[in-house]
Amino acid sequence: MSASHHGSGDEAATHRLEHDALGEVKVPTAALWGAQTQRAIENFPVSGRRLPVPIVRSLALIKRAAALTNEKSGRLPSPLAQAIVAAADEVAGGRHDDAFPVDVFQTGSGTSTHMNVNEVVANLANIRLGGSVGSKEPVHPNDHVNLGQSSNDVFPSALHIAAAKSLTDDLLPALGHLGARLDERARAFDDIVKIGRTHLQDALPIRLGQEIAGYASMVKTSGKRLAACLPALCELALGGTAVGTGFGSSPGFAPAVIAELARQTGLPLRQAADLRQALAARDALVALSGDLRGTAIALGKIANDLRWLASGPRSGLGEIRLPDLQPGSSMMPGKVNPVMAEMLLMVTAQVVGNDAATAWAGAGGVLELNAMMPVIGANVVDSLGLLARGTRLFADRCVAGIEANVDRCRELAERSLSLGTALLPRLGYDTSAAVVRQAVTTGQTVREVCLERGLLSAAELDTLLDPRSMT
């Protein structure tokens, strides 16, 4: 049965009239959503920023698994269940991403987006069964698509699934890829000796390969920390319904839905041990966000170091060369900037900001429910996606093409005053310090001062001041 139309002919052609608990709502005729989604569109024109697609698709996966479970238990007739499954598959497959327009800044439980999914799935199912959009017949968005569920247990479960999938499918592989690229460069540059720096001042020599291997270790360590977040992310609130008591859901429903979701996603999903905690707090996502911030900071350090090492090319450190990707100035001909490093630094800044908002929202849970879930989910999923894409681009368009300026590395290492440290065993601290002070004052090398003062022979200095031996 079609929804009724009232008003002028033009209005009837562009809108249909639907009803919800609060009364009549005009919904665009072509829209796959219904009355509750339309109210949310009108109530929350805040940012124009929609919830990330992975969250919507995870909600659809839950609808699919719930329909199958309700069909098996006899609570949902098979024709309705199978239509819901087919509709949810379309949504989860990305065929209707434009049908989910609700703003991130909405009701704090995510109910608006949850009902958006329920309404779209119901309408797609009804089309499949010969019904019409907006009719709520034979499939009802609440009575059938949402059977045995609540926004308060479904929405946080979708956030966990979306985050876990993005972490395992996207970010962890991207970090592994960057680590491998850095390892390649470390092996290629293992014989190149350069000067190390602390406080941005010359320190002892280090091999360029050692320096880059340190970056690779930072990336791998970040990946391990993030992987350790997965067990908590794989705990779902399903079965808690409205306040964590499970009222309205049969005892076996949630475990069966979660088992089906685990089969669909390949994730080791399980029901949370305490459903009250699973509704009231978003601790797992807050913890993940903190580790995403830590990963961002590590990546930012690497990107910043590489652009320092490549600075110049003639008036900076110039110890490495980064790939030339595009002109760097609208005014200065020939100028090329470290654009991929700058891109990654901006990604890291955004992730740090996302974490600040997530932490604040995580602390905003009151009594039985955290009511700031959409912004938590949006920021965490955004950070996961930004880091995954940014990391891969940085690995392939920057790290893979790094070249060493061998002559520059050697020159700076041999001229460094820090080589005076190697004199300590023979000359002692005070004499070695006097040699370095003279070198600073006169512009001589440490070697030249030692020879001038007759402190050591040329052969002894060859051995003592060999930068390679210090690495």
Side-chain angles (χ1 to χ4, degrees):
M1 183 174 68
S2 300
S4 301
H5 292 282
H6 301 285
S8 68
D10 288 345
E11 187 177 41
T14 58
H15 291 81
R16 62 179 187 268
L17 193 65
E18 293 197 24
H19 299 79
D20 62 11
L22 296 181
E24 294 183 345
V25 181
K26 293 176 182 177
V27 180
T29 302
L32 282 173
W33 58 79
Q36 293 196 46
T37 302
Q38 188 61 36
R39 287 192 190 277
I41 294 170
E42 295 168 5
N43 285 333
F44 307 118
V46 181
S47 68
R49 178 185 171 198
R50 302 180 179 192
L51 275 173
V53 165
I55 295 173
V56 170
R57 294 180 182 178
S58 293
L59 285 165
L61 291 177
I62 293 173
K63 299 302 159 183
R64 182 187 195 280
L68 289 172
T69 300
N70 284 322
E71 178 186 25
K72 289 177 183 177
S73 68
R75 297 186 71 194
L76 191 61
S78 186
L80 302 191
Q82 288 303 310
I84 291 171
V85 167
D89 280 340
E90 290 187 20
V91 173
R95 290 182 55 185
H96 304 286
D97 289 347
D98 60 348
F100 303 96
V102 180
D103 204 278
V104 167
F105 301 97
Q106 54 169 282
T107 177
S109 60
T111 299
S112 297
T113 290
H114 182 213
M115 281 308 304
N116 190 176
V117 172
N118 285 334
E119 290 175 341
V120 169
V121 169
N123 279 326
L124 290 171
N126 285 330
I127 292 171
R128 186 172 292 272
L129 293 172
S132 58
V133 172
S135 66
K136 301 183 182 179
E137 295 181 2
V139 175
H140 193 283
N142 299 84
D143 296 339
H144 302 129
V145 180
N146 199 52
L147 181 59
Q149 306 151 66
S150 166
S151 296
N152 296 357
D153 65 347
V154 168
F155 197 78
S157 297
L159 299 187
H160 277 221
I161 291 169
K165 280 181 63 63
S166 184
L167 180 58
T168 55
D169 294 350
D170 302 322
L171 181 52
L172 289 178
L175 290 172
H177 182 62
L178 175 58
R181 290 292 197 191
L182 288 165
D183 278 336
E184 290 171 5
R185 294 294 84 198
R187 289 191 296 270
F189 302 150
D190 187 57
D191 289 334
I192 300 172
V193 178
K194 63 181 292 292
I195 196 63
R197 296 177 182 86
T198 58
H199 305 272
L200 286 180
Q201 304 298 303
D202 295 350
L204 291 170
I206 187 173
R207 298 198 302 279
L208 180 57
Q210 291 175 315
E211 196 168 37
I212 293 179
Y215 301 149
S217 293
M218 291 171 62
V219 171
K220 294 170 188 175
T221 300
S222 293
K224 290 176 183 177
R225 291 195 188 101
L226 288 169
C229 294
L230 277 170
L233 291 176
C234 288
E235 289 190 355
L236 303 186
L238 282 174
T241 61
V243 293
T245 62
F247 182 81
S249 179
S250 60
F253 172 74
V257 171
I258 292 170
E260 175 62 25
L261 286 167
R263 188 191 66 77
Q264 291 178 52
T265 62
L267 295 168
L269 303 173
R270 61 192 179 282
Q271 191 175 37
D274 189 323
L275 294 174
R276 294 171 298 279
Q277 184 271 343
L279 266 66
R282 299 273 54 84
D283 295 348
L285 290 169
V286 171
L288 171 63
S289 180
D291 280 326
L292 291 172
R293 179 193 62 194
T295 297
I297 289 169
L299 293 173
K301 186 262 192 300
I302 294 167
N304 216 20
D305 278 9
L306 291 180
R307 68 174 184 163
W308 269 99
L309 294 174
S311 61
R314 295 187 178 180
S315 301
L317 300 183
E319 293 178 338
I320 63 172
R321 289 182 287 268
L322 303 181
D324 291 345
L325 296 180
Q326 60 189 61
S329 173
S330 61
M331 178 182 181
M332 294 173 281
K335 191 173 190 295
V336 179
N337 298 328
V339 293
M340 300 312 293
E342 292 168 353
M343 172 277 295
L344 191 58
L345 283 165
M346 287 188 283
V347 165
T348 64
Q350 183 64 56
V351 171
V352 170
N354 286 350
D355 176 65
T358 297
W360 183 265
V366 178
L367 302 178
E368 276 65 58
L369 185 72
N370 178 290
M372 298 179 74
M373 286 192 284
V375 77
I376 291 174
N379 284 333
V380 169
V381 171
D382 182 51
S383 291
L384 285 160
L386 286 172
L387 286 173
R389 293 187 293 274
T391 296
R392 279 201 178 272
L393 289 169
F394 184 67
D396 290 338
R397 300 189 185 183
C398 180
V399 173
I402 294 173
E403 298 175 351
N405 187 341
V406 179
D407 292 340
R408 178 67 169 167
C409 288
R410 182 186 303 113
E411 174 196 355
L412 294 179
E414 291 176 350
R415 289 190 58 81
S416 172
L417 300 177
S418 66
L419 296 184
T421 308
L423 303 176
L424 290 174
R426 296 293 304 278
L427 302 181
Y429 187 90
D430 290 340
T431 302
S432 298
V435 169
V436 172
R437 283 198 300 272
Q438 179 177 332
V440 170
T441 302
T442 64
Q444 295 172 287
T445 65
V446 169
R447 178 187 180 88
E448 289 168 345
V449 173
C450 287
L451 289 173
E452 180 183 286
R453 291 190 173 197
L455 297 173
L456 295 164
S457 69
E460 289 175 309
L461 289 168
D462 287 342
T463 301
L464 286 173
L465 300 182
D466 176 21
R468 171 79 189 193
S469 69
M470 300 181 193
T471 66

